[in-house]
Structures are given as structure tokens and as C-alpha cells.
Amino acid sequence: MNFPPIFHTLFFLALTSVFTGLHAQEPKGRWTPPPLNGSPWKHGPTEVSFPAMLGGYRFAGHFDYADGGVLLRYENLQEQARMDLFLFKTNEALPTVDDKHRRLLMEMDIVIQDFESMVQQRRYKNLVIGEVFGGELALWQKQSVPIASRTFTATRLGISNEGSAEAAVRQWVGVTILDDYLITIRHMRPAATGDAGEESMKRIVGLVFQLLKDPALRSHIRELVDAYLKDPFSEHGVQASGAVLAYLKQTPYFPISIPEVPVSDWLAHCKAIAPGTEEDLLRAFMLGSAKAAFASGDADTCLKEGSRQFAKVYRILVAKHPGISRPEMESFATAAENGEGHLWLKDYELRK
């Protein structure tokens, strides 16, 4: 959907005003842009990793507050939407589920107070506060964590270069507690996006939930990757790889990418000569890449390690099925064994 420039200006004013709350001055701290190599940003205390791209949203950077805590920002310029995540220590013991629920509701009350104060300051009007919803986020082999959420709709009042104008915005706020950290998710978009905007919000928030669940599960997935790499052709290795591939399908934010050209042609050739070998090779590329991704590797590192594992399995398969060998695959395998498979693939793309 296209919006006039005046709406864009007011919309981002609305974003700024809501995310900074009622501070009389800018908070003290330091803004850091995202890594140039596209690697994920990791929150050390919770071990949650935040990728460079998440469901069409680009990681814009993070702000470290001088008094503790961090703000992470994701933007989707095409949808004129933004998502901010705040991670702060709870600074109090919350031993029971009731204690956690109490703290979440307290945080929701603070959000309401912020909005109502901005209405009194005539920065907003037509404020509509949705009811609060509760739920749980299931974690792997850990106790589930509670979640509270609600939506807010309001009309932003402001002045742009084009004069006075109004912009209706809609914000979804979710709060949860993970490993003694209070995590607040704020997603804002133009209210005019309607149902389409609502579905987009649900997708990106769902991916954030996956990120929060991931540290507890990833240690188990790492074990499965290691089991596969130890013996790629054993029954246990194949079963382990299946679980890893299912996990990767649900977590599309890892920088794992296999070039369709020429790999798809190679796999089709192998399938025609020795059915099943194409699955072994694809599995090798994916899990070699996954090993690097779980170590916070960037896209090039994942491609390099995926290529290396592909070459290892390819050599074993060629010994059993000589007919699958092709000069092009031999050249690639040699480069991959030397740690240059990713460069070979990039050169191949340029040659074609």
C-alpha cells in the first residue's frame, strides 16, 4: 500500500514518540549499527540471537542504555512498520508464576500510563486500549514463560513540513520474562493496513517467539548435528539430520542458502544415476551449513562449511557410485576441501 509523504513523516514521528516514552530528554547510551557482514547480534545473558533479517524486517541496530538494558530495532520500510525489543533485568526475585504475571501486568500499566499522558499532552487523540491477553511460551526442557499482550490504536497529532496532519497508528505490545530479563516487544504500523497489517504483525511476532525459544532447543539440535557429522550414513545420523532439517524449516532466519545453480542440476544428475545420493548430498550441504550457523557464522561461513561437508560426502559416494562423478563437481569438491567452496560458487555465478 502506498502512503503520501506527509503520512510517512507523521508515522515515524509517532514511532519515535511512543518508543522513547515520556523522557524529558534523550536517554543516555550508545547506538550501534548492525554488523556489516550480516552476522546475528547475540544477547549474552539469555543467549538469544537476533538475525540481520527476520521475516522481511531488517535489523537496524541496537541501543545500549547507560544504566543497563538494550533496545533492538527492526524495520520494514515496504510495510512502513517497525518493531522494537527492549531487554532489561527484572531487578527483583520472581520465583513463582504468579510473581511473573504480576510484573507483566505492572509493565502493561506503565504502557497505558505513557499513552494516556501523551493524550493529555495532545500528541495523540482517539486512544483505544485493547483488552489484555495472557498466554505461555513453551520452552524445550524448561518451564514455560508467561506472556501478556494488548493492542493500542490512536491518532498521532503533529506538524510536518507540509503542515498539520494526523496519522492513525496501531501498536501491539507483548511482554514476557526470560532468564531474569524482562522482554518487551512493540510493533507499530499504520492502522490503515487493516487485516493485512495484522497478519504481518502476527508473522513477525511469531518469529520473535521462535528466537526466544531457540536457546533452550538449540543445544539439543547441536548434539544432533554432531551426531550426523560423526557418521552421515548411519541410521542414527540420518535420523538426527531429519530432526535438524525440520528445525531449520521452522527457523528460516539462519543465513543458510544453497545456490540453486549449479547444485540443483548436480542433485538431479545424481538422482538419475544412483537414486538416494542426491538426498545424501543435500543433507550434507544443509547440516554443514547449520554447524556454522549455530556458531554465529555469517552467510559466507555457512556456505563454506556446507560446501566442505558436501565435498566430504561426495567423495564417499563417488567411491561407491563412480557414475555420479562430473568434472564440474570434481572441481567444486577440490575447492571445497581447500576451504574455497563458497568462492568457487560465487565465481561460477559470475561466469554464467
Side-chain angles (χ1 to χ4, degrees):
M1 182 178 296
N2 294 322
F3 299 96
I6 192 169
F7 183 89
H8 290 174
T9 301
L10 274 177
F11 179 65
F12 283 107
L13 280 173
L15 286 172
T16 303
S17 66
V18 172
F19 293 143
T20 57
L22 300 177
H23 294 293
Q25 58 185 8
E26 289 296 319
K28 295 181 180 180
R30 183 182 66 178
W31 174 263
T32 303
L36 294 177
N37 62 2
S39 60
W41 183 88
K42 186 174 182 179
H43 184 244
T46 61
E47 297 188 340
V48 178
S49 291
F50 296 88
M53 291 297 298
L54 187 65
Y57 284 69
R58 179 184 63 85
F59 181 54
H62 68 279
F63 184 86
D64 293 295
Y65 291 93
D67 55 354
V70 62
L71 155 67
L72 311 178
R73 175 157 293 171
Y74 279 89
E75 297 174 339
N76 188 322
L77 299 182
Q78 181 178 359
E79 297 184 6
Q80 293 298 311
R82 177 180 288 174
M83 179 176 65
D84 279 15
L85 299 99
F86 300 83
L87 294 88
F88 284 88
K89 285 281 288 184
T90 57
N91 292 325
E92 66 171 323
L94 300 170
T96 69
V97 173
D98 286 343
D99 291 329
K100 292 181 173 66
H101 279 295
R102 172 185 55 77
R103 181 60 187 272
L104 297 185
L105 293 177
M106 183 186 304
E107 293 300 318
M108 279 295 176
D109 287 342
I110 293 174
V111 175
I112 293 175
Q113 292 168 13
D114 284 353
F115 265 110
E116 291 178 339
S117 294
M118 287 186 285
V119 169
Q120 293 176 1
Q121 296 168 10
R122 297 187 178 181
R123 295 159 64 185
Y124 281 90
K125 68 176 184 179
N126 302 330
L127 174 63
V128 177
I129 301 174
E131 63 179 301
V132 65
F133 289 94
E136 291 187 345
L137 187 63
L139 302 179
W140 176 260
Q141 296 181 340
K142 294 179 69 175
Q143 185 179 19
S144 299
V145 296
I147 297 174
S149 67
R150 72 192 322 155
T151 58
F152 300 83
T153 303
T155 301
R156 168 64 175 169
L157 306 176
I159 300 175
S160 70
N161 293 334
E162 289 80 10
S164 300
E166 301 178 356
V169 296
R170 186 171 176 83
Q171 182 177 168
W172 180 92
V173 179
V175 189
T176 187
I177 296 174
L178 180 66
D179 296 339
D180 297 325
Y181 271 79
L182 187 72
I183 301 176
T184 302
I185 309 165
R186 293 191 176 195
H187 180 277
M188 181 178 280
R189 65 189 189 278
T193 55
D195 292 342
E198 188 76 7
E199 290 304 313
S200 177
M201 178 275 293
K202 290 179 180 178
R203 285 193 297 271
I204 187 64
V205 170
L207 288 175
V208 172
F209 288 165
Q210 287 293 114
L211 294 179
L212 300 183
K213 294 165 62 175
D214 192 61
L217 177 59
R218 194 181 300 189
S219 61
H220 176 64
I221 297 298
R222 281 198 184 101
E223 294 175 358
L224 295 179
V225 171
D226 291 340
Y228 163 81
L229 295 175
K230 183 177 181 179
D231 191 349
F233 296 98
S234 69
E235 181 178 356
H236 180 52
V238 171
Q239 290 178 348
S241 69
V244 175
L245 293 175
Y247 165 82
L248 292 175
K249 186 176 181 180
Q250 296 298 317
T251 51
Y253 40 77
F254 288 111
I256 297 175
S257 178
I258 301 177
E260 183 175 356
V261 178
V263 177
S264 61
D265 183 47
W266 296 347
L267 297 181
H269 162 74
C270 292
K271 182 178 181 179
I273 301 299
T277 56
E278 80 285 357
E279 295 179 2
D280 291 324
L281 290 170
L282 180 59
R283 188 181 298 124
F285 215 135
M286 288 294 295
L287 270 78
S289 299
K291 177 73 173 181
F294 295 160
S296 299
D298 58 18
D300 278 352
T301 303
C302 291
L303 189 59
K304 179 174 71 174
E305 295 307 318
S307 299
R308 196 193 302 273
Q309 182 63 23
F310 180 97
K312 180 179 179 180
V313 169
Y314 171 76
R315 296 300 189 198
I316 297 173
L317 292 175
V318 165
K320 297 179 180 180
H321 309 283
I324 69 172
S325 176
R326 294 175 66 174
E328 194 175 70
M329 295 177 71
E330 290 290 330
S331 174
F332 169 69
T334 299
E337 288 166 336
N338 293 326
E340 298 178 348
H342 60 306
L343 301 177
W344 190 99
L345 289 169
K346 290 182 178 181
D347 289 343
Y348 183 93
E349 184 177 359
L350 293 175
R351 293 196 302 271
K352 295 299 178 180

